[in-house]
Amino acid sequence: MKRLVLSAVLLICGAGARAVTSGDVVISPENTGVLVDKFFYDFKINNNPAYSESKLDDLFVTDGFNGVRTPIWGNINQPAHPTNGVVIGSYYSGHVNMILEARERNPDLIVFASKKLNGDDSFPDWVKDASGVIPDQYAILLADYIEYMATQGITIDVLGIDNEERFNEGNITPERHKDIVDELELLAAARSFPMPEIIGPEDFDPDRNNWMEGLITNGWGDRLDIYGTHYYARWRPIAALQSDLAWAGTREKWHTELHWDQKDADDMYEAEISISAMWDCIDNGMNGLMWWSYSRSGFRGSIMKDFSAPLIGAQAVAVDDADGADILTTGRLQTRAFLRGNTMTVFAINVDSGTDYSNLLFRVDSGYVIGDVEVLQWTSTNDTAGAVSTVSPTGSRSFEFDIPDRSLSRFTFTFAPSELFAHYAFEKNLEDHSPNHFQGLENGPVVYPPGRDGFALSGSAEIPMVGFEDFLATFWLKTDAAGGALLAGPDLDVSLLHSNVVFTMGGQSVTSYKPLNDGCWHQVAVERTFLDGGMKLYVDGRLEAYGTGAVQALSGTNLTVGGIAGLIDELRIYDRPFGASDLEDYDAPSVLLTVGGAAEERGPVDSFVAVSACPAGADYPYIDLVEDDGSWVWGYAGTSLRAMSVGTATDPVLLPNIGSSCFTRTTDAWWRGVCKLQFDDLVLEAGTYTLSFYVGDADTNYLFYAVHTDPETGNH
């Protein structure tokens, strides 16, 4: 864990005084770890489980477990496999019923079968001798079990052929493991049942007898699909675990028996070491987890549930906290974070540190905290559910909360990543198609007529907003109205006024030159940069106006989109400035310039671009040419060279088209003053080059021409 500088003030108040410490907990959503994609519930702990409907709902719907572990019997207490080819189904009836019930609640349930441990009587006599299990005989027992479960409608997805070898008589060494798997594969082929994935070694502690090293170095690694181990909170043998994980390589890695040690009088300490042991596994890349004796009630159960369920399907996110302690140190502040969809869950454990963290600041270093933060906090082992509260963010990326000594805390909030914040396509709804899924709300009568792409918004809607610094909104507009609301909030306003777009922030406004009420589709983009308050207004990909507004973060109040008599489509909101990728909706035709011959023979390349209005009498279009690097091309207006941009380093903005004076009328065609492209100072190697251009009028009646080419129909 990266260390932070900690500012502390020690209050000397007599015996038992604590340090009151301040410092940030920094969450880095772009720095992610393992995805915890499997979390099992353990049916194996029961001989004949029979859970109520409500308990099954709690486990497989509310908590979201997506796998179960179930036992393979055969010992003297549960002699389900008395001989070759015989399975006594009554020993499995409870487990079969529970698996089927669980699968009704989660059709993608993973079934993990594991040999049940019972000391020196873990295996029936017919599959073992004095040295341990007999591979071909034990493989028959496993095949019998797999086939029996198939008759009950259950496929065994994962098979554990051993369980804590130090406590049973099977002596399943790496070589025996290899032999058992080989025999089982032969039986699977002969009996036509699917071969399950094999997990191992499933021992009491990792790296015992160098089991993984022996398997891999002897060339038997292909007999193991998933690395599985037990890792006890009381000892947390992290070096041994890391050794095994290194030998496991790219295999999935599961901790298949998380134990909540209940051997101390201090339940708060037990909670700390048990949760920390789970975090050890996640920190080191283990993607599958399972508690032994999972509970949902009491202090232990509430911690186990509320610190585990949010992990299912969540990805670990890097956290840098104030104490700088490594992951093994108890009695210090321990923090972790996990992201599932757009839900961020942050945990904090502070047990016996002697430190109360007052108004501890939690912040994300990218993205945004959306809405209030839900808090669960336990400050006493008498808490059976945790104290529930909410806290409002202190800014767009942070919140504060007290973390007293001897406390466990969980914080949950909606997280919005940077870049694309929201995307409303208005496909007959107000769904957000960004990863954030911020649902909008209709504001009065709303209809969704055909739009530029699919359907569009006609009416007004409310959409969520946060306190952005940099801000960009892009959308498509089609209207014949002279005025109306487009996008509005307490800090900004985008409207159509006298046929032009007006962008207002902090009492300052910028206005487009181009009228947009022609009944055609136009793209509008408004941008605000935080550092200088810069405002820019783009129409159809072209910068038309700019200025300076307020230098402050935007408020988190909702935005109102629409209200104009017209259509709005494909609204996107970002937390960055305008970029070339935001023009990807333009389908710009291209002129191919072929340059050949010796370099000394090359000179200016003569070319022109014209547009022909069809039918005759249609309004002239706005036409500009740009090179591939985005710079505006110089050209001729009549016979005079005309700069298409303001020729200063500080203000290279293309002058807007202000009327037909920019065109020369020829036979049935309007010509723009760029009809002769000059590349006098451009060094071109032999080859083919592309010069892209667009027309700011979407009328498909216009045709595009280039020298010696046929017309192209164009929509931009």
Side-chain angles (χ1 to χ4, degrees):
M1 185 184 298
K2 181 180 175 184
R3 296 175 182 269
L4 291 180
V5 176
L6 182 64
S7 173
V9 177
L10 182 63
L11 301 184
I12 307 299
C13 302
R18 293 172 175 166
V20 180
T21 308
S22 64
D24 294 356
V25 175
V26 182
I27 304 150
S28 300
E30 295 182 0
N31 185 3
T32 57
V34 70
L35 173 68
V36 182
D37 58 351
K38 298 173 181 68
F39 217 124
F40 292 83
Y41 180 77
D42 192 16
F43 282 138
K44 186 177 170 183
I45 196 171
N46 302 115
N47 287 348
N48 193 27
Y51 294 175
S52 66
E53 295 286 325
S54 61
K55 183 172 182 177
L56 290 164
D57 289 342
D58 287 340
L59 295 172
F60 299 101
V61 178
T62 303
D63 295 350
F65 287 108
N66 56 10
V68 294
R69 186 172 74 159
T70 190
I72 303 173
W73 300 118
N75 57 56
I76 59 173
N77 293 326
Q78 301 284 333
H81 301 267
T83 189
N84 181 331
V86 177
V87 178
I88 301 176
S90 59
Y91 288 109
Y92 290 113
S93 59
H95 291 90
V96 166
N97 291 336
M98 290 300 95
I99 293 170
L100 295 176
E101 289 278 2
R103 195 170 64 189
E104 284 186 6
R105 291 157 172 82
N106 185 343
D108 298 321
L109 191 77
I110 301 167
V111 180
F112 164 30
S114 171
K115 189 67 188 74
K116 179 64 176 177
L117 181 68
N118 191 30
D120 290 340
D121 291 308
S122 296
F123 300 90
D125 290 341
W126 65 274
V127 305
K128 65 184 178 182
D129 59 21
S131 66
V133 296
I134 304 167
D136 59 343
Q137 294 295 99
Y138 182 39
I140 291 172
L141 182 153
L142 296 172
D144 291 346
Y145 170 79
I146 292 169
E147 287 189 317
Y148 170 76
M149 294 299 279
T151 67
Q152 306 302 302
I154 297 170
T155 298
I156 301 303
D157 301 300
V158 178
L159 181 67
I161 64 178
D162 200 1
N163 183 27
E164 297 196 347
E165 185 265 343
R166 67 182 294 182
F167 296 124
N168 69 56
E169 78 278 26
N171 191 26
I172 300 180
T173 62
E175 184 173 8
R176 261 201 177 94
H177 172 95
K178 179 261 298 181
D179 292 341
I180 294 166
V181 173
D182 288 349
E183 293 290 340
L184 186 60
E185 285 183 334
L186 292 174
L187 291 171
R191 299 191 191 183
S192 300
F193 62 78
M195 182 72 182
E197 290 190 293
I198 302 299
I199 187 171
E202 290 271 88
D203 211 340
F204 176 79
D205 46 12
D207 199 29
R208 184 170 178 271
N209 298 326
N210 302 314
W211 197 96
M212 281 297 296
E213 180 181 357
L215 186 79
I216 302 302
T217 56
N218 280 291
W220 304 325
D222 58 346
R223 275 76 163 193
L224 185 71
D225 301 297
I226 302 167
Y227 170 74
T229 192
H230 304 173
Y231 176 81
Y232 282 74
R234 182 166 299 279
W235 299 286
R236 295 171 70 187
I238 191 68
L241 177 65
Q242 291 170 338
S243 174
D244 264 7
L245 293 175
W247 287 110
T250 59
R251 293 170 180 81
E252 289 198 35
K253 304 168 180 68
W254 299 359
H255 185 334
T256 52
E257 266 192 34
L258 290 163
H259 280 257
W260 186 292
D261 285 329
Q262 294 179 285
K263 298 179 179 180
D264 287 287
D266 187 352
D267 290 342
M268 190 73 76
Y269 172 73
E270 288 176 354
E272 178 190 26
I273 62 172
S274 300
I275 297 299
S276 295
M278 178 174 69
W279 289 347
D280 287 348
C281 298
I282 297 170
D283 290 344
N284 284 276
M286 302 186 78
N287 65 295
L289 302 169
M290 187 192 75
W291 284 106
W292 171 265
S293 189
Y294 178 80
S295 174
R296 301 181 85 255
S297 60
F299 172 76
R300 171 182 175 272
S302 65
I303 296 292
M304 190 179 282
K305 168 177 63 71
D306 291 317
F307 275 60
S308 300
L311 275 55
I312 304 172
Q315 191 153 28
V317 171
V319 182
D320 197 352
D321 62 33
D323 67 5
D326 65 30
I327 60 174
L328 294 178
T329 304
T330 57
R332 304 293 294 271
L333 177 65
Q334 305 248 15
T335 54
R336 297 294 187 279
F338 297 86
L339 182 62
R340 179 170 62 191
N342 65 344
T343 299
M344 182 77 77
T345 305
V346 181
F347 300 98
I349 296 178
N350 183 31
V351 175
D352 294 336
S353 68
T355 301
D356 291 327
Y357 293 89
S358 179
N359 293 324
L360 183 62
L361 183 72
F362 294 77
R363 61 181 175 89
V364 293
D365 63 8
S366 67
Y368 301 93
V369 178
I370 307 298
D372 288 342
V373 179
E374 297 180 3
V375 184
L376 271 176
Q377 189 172 75
W378 294 258
T379 56
S380 166
T381 56
N382 294 322
D383 291 343
T384 58
V388 180
S389 61
T390 60
V391 59
S392 297
T394 56
S396 60
R397 289 181 167 146
S398 61
F399 63 91
E400 293 180 342
F401 205 79
D402 290 343
I403 306 295
D405 192 11
R406 294 188 61 79
S407 69
L408 299 100
S409 308
R410 190 190 82 179
F411 305 93
T412 306
F413 58 88
T414 299
F415 170 76
S418 296
E419 282 286 324
L420 180 62
F421 174 76
H423 172 205
Y424 297 94
F426 304 120
E427 296 304 296
K428 295 188 175 182
N429 56 53
L430 292 174
E431 292 180 5
D432 173 16
H433 293 266
S434 81
N436 298 321
H437 305 295
F438 295 137
Q439 180 71 33
L441 297 174
E442 294 181 354
N443 188 8
V446 170
V447 294
Y448 301 96
R452 182 181 181 276
D453 184 7
F455 296 90
L457 172 72
S458 176
S460 175
E462 299 289 322
I463 59 174
M465 183 65 174
V466 297
F468 283 114
E469 294 180 351
D470 291 340
F471 172 80
L472 169 67
T474 70
F475 57 90
W476 287 86
L477 170 67
K478 181 178 181 180
T479 184
D480 55 12
L486 303 175
L487 196 63
D491 307 298
L492 64 89
D493 183 86
V494 183
S495 302
L496 201 67
L497 181 65
H498 305 307
S499 305
N500 300 93
V501 178
V502 180
F503 173 31
T504 303
M505 283 197 65
Q508 300 296 317
S509 297
V510 295
T511 304
S512 70
Y513 286 94
K514 182 175 183 177
L516 299 188
N517 61 335
D518 56 4
C520 298
W521 282 106
H522 297 281
Q523 191 187 44
V524 177
V526 295
E527 167 194 320
R528 195 291 293 267
T529 52
F530 176 73
L531 290 179
D532 58 3
M535 302 166 58
K536 292 182 180 179
L537 171 59
Y538 299 81
V539 175
D540 291 333
R542 169 176 161 171
L543 178 63
E544 292 225 350
Y546 61 96
T548 303
V551 181
Q552 64 183 47
L554 303 181
S555 71
T557 307
N558 287 355
L559 291 179
T560 301
V561 56
I564 193 171
L567 303 179
I568 293 177
D569 203 358
E570 295 297 327
L571 171 64
R572 291 175 170 87
I573 298 175
Y574 304 85
D575 69 343
R576 59 162 174 78
F578 189 83
S581 63
D582 301 311
L583 295 176
E584 61 187 5
D585 285 331
Y586 287 101
D587 183 14
S590 299
V591 179
L592 297 180
L593 305 177
T594 301
V595 181
E600 61 271 15
E601 297 175 350
R602 299 180 203 154
V605 180
D606 291 338
S607 182
F608 70 88
V609 175
V611 291
S612 178
C614 300
D619 291 339
Y620 63 84
Y622 292 84
I623 180 168
D624 298 304
L625 272 73
V626 294
E627 293 185 60
D628 284 341
D629 64 1
S631 60
W632 295 98
V633 175
W634 287 59
Y636 280 88
T639 58
S640 300
L641 188 65
R642 174 177 179 271
M644 300 300 291
S645 62
V646 178
T648 67
T650 58
D651 193 19
V653 180
L654 179 70
L655 291 174
N657 185 339
I658 57 175
S660 58
S661 62
C662 293
F663 292 82
T664 301
R665 180 66 183 268
T666 62
T667 305
D668 294 324
W670 294 108
W671 298 72
R672 181 69 186 266
V674 293
C675 59
K676 214 172 184 57
L677 308 181
Q678 300 298 311
F679 296 102
D680 300 281
D681 58 351
L682 182 64
V683 177
L684 295 175
E685 300 297 330
T688 300
Y689 299 83
T690 301
L691 180 68
S692 299
F693 62 91
Y694 74 91
V695 174
D697 192 311
D699 194 330
T700 56
N701 290 323
Y702 291 113
L703 303 179
F704 298 89
Y705 290 85
V707 171
H708 308 308
T709 67
D710 295 325
E712 297 181 53
T713 58
N715 185 2
H716 300 289

